[in-house]
Amino acid sequence: MGVVYVFGTGFPSTLQYSVLADITRDTGISTADLVQGTGVLFLFLGWGCLFWQPIATTYGRRGVYLLSTLLTVPLMVWTAYTKSLPEWYINRVLLGLVVSPIESLPEISIPDVFFAHERGAWMSLYVFCLFGSNFLAPMCAGWFAEAYGWRWTMHFGAMFAAAAFFIQFFFMEETMYFRNTLEGLEDEDHVAASDAKVLGGRDSINSDEKSASDSAVAVSDTAPKQTYIQKLAWFRKMDGRPTNRQMFQSMVMPLAYIVQFPSVAWAGFIYGINLCWYNVLNGTASPILAAEPYNWGTGLVGSVYAGPLVGAGFGALWAGIAADKITLWLARRNNGIREPEQRLWPLLLTGVLSCAGLITWGVGAYYQIHWAALTVGLGILTFSCVAGGSVALSYNIDCFKDISGDTTTSIIIIRNTLGFAVSYGITPWYTNMGLRGCFIMAGLLSLGCTYTFLIMIWKGKALRKWSAPRYWKYAARTVHKHE
């Protein structure tokens, strides 16, 4: 059902990318202003998590998923009637706030139901669906707009969100529950037996989670069975949930975590860099392909997103299944001890491919090469965007699982603030500097930023040890007393 939510909100909110030229022609809003409005959307997609995430961790995930999807419907209808720049900006702000759970809520739903050695694959599936919905939307929007116009394309987005809401309402179940222990502090015999099976028969526990803590408060491991009607409730009060005071505190704590946990700040930086290049793609695809010598209509501009969609699929496989196998292999070589930094090695490939994709796209467009080569370049770039984002999210959860609800929000704030900055500046950047210079610089920046993972391989464990006292202090609060 999480996939239904991601597509139900991610698809409608990104329909505009391939029809920017049509919106400009009809409303008089410049393409640069439309792209900057999309940057504002991404900014509030990040900062809106400060509001939604604490509610989801206190009263349940289901209600937040449903509210977000339902409120998307009228906002998409409003988008179809937008006629001025102020109206466009207000619409983008509200849509960003409403859809913001898409950025952080699935990340904490995954640890609800999957073990540590499985999270990489499922996190990659989520990131693939997130980016995939964003690529599938322009593909469909381009041809739909040619047949019915861009305004009816937005109405179609509203209908798509409405259908997703009804599916979730009847079939999505609550996944939130509260353990009576913290991850890494369970019974050692059980942990050793479980991890030995995963790691080929060798005893293993996470090396810096061996210390015990007596801070856990007993909470029942089981809950009474519910009827189907009871499961349809939007929100619920569970034993062991945070207090309302703790919920409001959680609305500001992610900002403190950015300073207090360097690993979280770095993960947000890596995810943000990858989102920047995704926004570069969206901000330049329509202007480049609609101009000489391509002169593509909205349908063909949308079709170019087939390359990124394929690239996203391979990126999810690399950061998910492949990364999980690499991590387990490295754990076996490390005497059966799993370290979060072992998950970072897939970035060795994504950094090179991101640089290559950006240069192929920008420099290729400058020299007006065949469109097929540009599509391949976009696919390579998207491979790196999806893989890099997935690795960053999985690394954060591996480091600080029991406060990952808040640290994920910290990461999304960093990510989307960086994305906003690039969306706001990409049009003047390539206009003033030229496609060739702009994208060569972007490619080299991407390579350098991604390869900062080598610093984390070297010093990541030391940084986690430095952060450990604060982590256990905050993690103890996640095993809440009854209200």
Side-chain angles (χ1 to χ4, degrees):
M1 285 297 105
V3 172
V4 174
Y5 169 74
V6 170
F7 274 96
T9 52
F11 182 92
S13 60
T14 52
L15 285 169
Q16 74 275 3
Y17 289 133
S18 60
V19 297
L20 293 178
D22 289 2
I23 298 175
T24 296
R25 186 166 51 250
D26 194 21
T27 64
I29 305 172
S30 70
T31 300
D33 287 334
L34 292 174
V35 172
Q36 289 173 0
T38 301
V40 172
L41 167 69
F42 273 97
L43 181 66
F44 283 88
L45 278 171
W47 287 85
C49 296
L50 289 173
F51 173 75
W52 290 110
Q53 196 82 336
I55 295 175
T57 56
T58 303
Y59 291 102
R61 326 311 193 206
R62 174 180 157 85
V64 174
Y65 280 128
L66 292 176
L67 265 179
S68 175
T69 311
L70 182 61
L71 292 176
T72 301
V73 177
L75 287 173
M76 289 307 302
V77 173
W78 179 18
T79 303
Y81 294 98
T82 301
K83 296 180 180 179
S84 64
L85 181 58
E87 194 176 0
W88 174 258
Y89 271 102
I90 294 171
N91 178 271
R92 297 295 95 181
V93 168
L94 294 178
L95 187 61
L97 290 173
V98 165
V99 180
S100 59
I102 196 176
E103 302 283 7
S104 60
L105 193 50
E107 286 100 313
I108 64 169
S109 298
I110 289 171
D112 283 346
V113 292
F114 295 109
F115 294 109
H117 66 281
E118 300 172 320
R119 290 175 196 150
W122 290 103
M123 193 67 72
S124 293
L125 176 62
Y126 154 68
V127 176
F128 169 71
C129 291
L130 180 63
F131 280 88
S133 65
N134 292 184
F135 296 136
L136 190 62
M139 289 177 61
C140 297
W143 294 108
F144 198 93
E146 283 198 356
Y148 302 104
W150 74 269
R151 295 188 187 276
W152 263 105
T153 302
M154 301 304 150
H155 286 301
F156 171 67
M159 290 184 280
F160 193 90
F165 168 78
F166 282 108
I167 294 172
Q168 291 174 84
F169 179 81
F170 289 107
F171 298 105
M172 173 178 276
E173 294 190 22
E174 181 59 66
T175 63
M176 182 178 71
Y177 68 98
F178 299 101
R179 290 186 176 94
N180 60 358
T181 60
L182 302 177
E183 183 166 282
L185 304 182
E186 300 90 341
D187 179 73
E188 286 196 0
D189 292 337
H190 174 74
V191 173
S194 174
D195 284 355
K197 182 177 180 181
V198 173
L199 296 173
R202 300 186 182 186
D203 294 341
S204 64
I205 57 176
N206 193 305
S207 62
D208 45 346
E209 292 179 357
K210 290 182 179 179
S211 61
S213 170
D214 58 357
S215 58
V217 181
V219 178
S220 175
D221 285 333
T222 60
K225 188 174 182 179
Q226 294 184 319
T227 65
Y228 176 73
I229 299 300
Q230 289 175 321
K231 290 180 180 179
L232 293 180
W234 288 42
F235 296 100
R236 64 184 65 174
K237 290 185 177 181
M238 292 186 180
D239 290 339
R241 70 183 179 88
T243 63
N244 288 333
R245 180 181 179 183
Q246 289 168 326
M247 180 184 73
F248 288 115
Q249 287 175 338
S250 292
M251 292 182 179
V252 296
M253 284 308 299
L255 301 177
Y257 289 157
I258 295 173
V259 178
Q260 296 177 344
F261 297 96
S263 299
V264 172
W266 177 82
F269 170 72
I270 288 296
Y271 200 6
I273 286 298
N274 284 281
L275 178 69
C276 287
W277 311 135
Y278 162 76
N279 286 346
V280 165
L281 184 165
N282 290 321
T284 57
S286 184
I288 287 175
L289 295 174
E292 293 286 349
Y294 305 104
N295 296 315
W296 283 11
T298 54
L300 289 175
V301 171
S303 296
V304 81
Y305 282 87
L309 188 60
V310 173
F314 283 107
L317 291 175
W318 175 246
I321 296 175
D324 282 346
K325 291 184 180 297
I326 291 171
T327 301
L328 292 176
W329 178 73
L330 290 172
R332 292 190 186 100
R333 291 173 57 87
N334 193 36
N335 298 318
I337 298 175
R338 180 178 61 84
E339 303 277 5
E341 286 72 31
Q342 293 162 350
R343 193 175 289 280
L344 301 180
W345 282 107
L347 296 177
L348 194 67
L349 176 64
T350 66
V352 174
L353 292 184
S354 177
C355 178
L358 283 164
I359 292 175
T360 301
W361 168 248
V363 178
Y366 175 82
Y367 286 107
Q368 301 178 351
I369 64 176
H370 194 274
W371 63 265
L374 295 182
T375 304
V376 171
L378 292 179
I380 294 172
L381 173 60
T382 308
F383 173 97
S384 301
C385 290
V386 171
S390 178
V391 167
L393 289 172
S394 297
Y395 176 67
N396 167 62
I397 292 177
D398 282 353
C399 288
F400 308 114
K401 192 271 173 186
D402 288 292
I403 60 171
S404 61
D406 288 338
T407 58
T408 296
T409 301
S410 304
I411 287 175
I412 298 304
I413 288 172
I414 298 172
R415 186 199 87 152
N416 285 37
T417 302
L418 287 173
F420 162 73
V422 170
S423 291
Y424 196 83
I426 183 57
T427 301
W429 185 12
Y430 80 78
T431 300
N432 296 327
M433 193 173 185
L435 285 171
R436 183 177 64 177
C438 171
F439 280 90
I440 289 176
M441 177 181 286
L444 295 176
L445 281 173
S446 176
L447 180 64
C449 292
T450 302
Y451 270 40
T452 58
F453 88 90
L454 295 173
I455 299 175
M456 299 306 292
I457 294 289
W458 175 40
K459 287 295 185 180
K461 185 174 181 178
L463 291 173
R464 286 187 288 112
K465 286 183 176 180
W466 179 76
S467 304
R470 288 183 294 278
Y471 170 63
W472 292 116
K473 173 185 174 183
Y474 293 131
R477 298 175 184 175
T478 67
V479 187
H480 304 282
K481 295 182 180 180
H482 292 248
E483 225 180 2

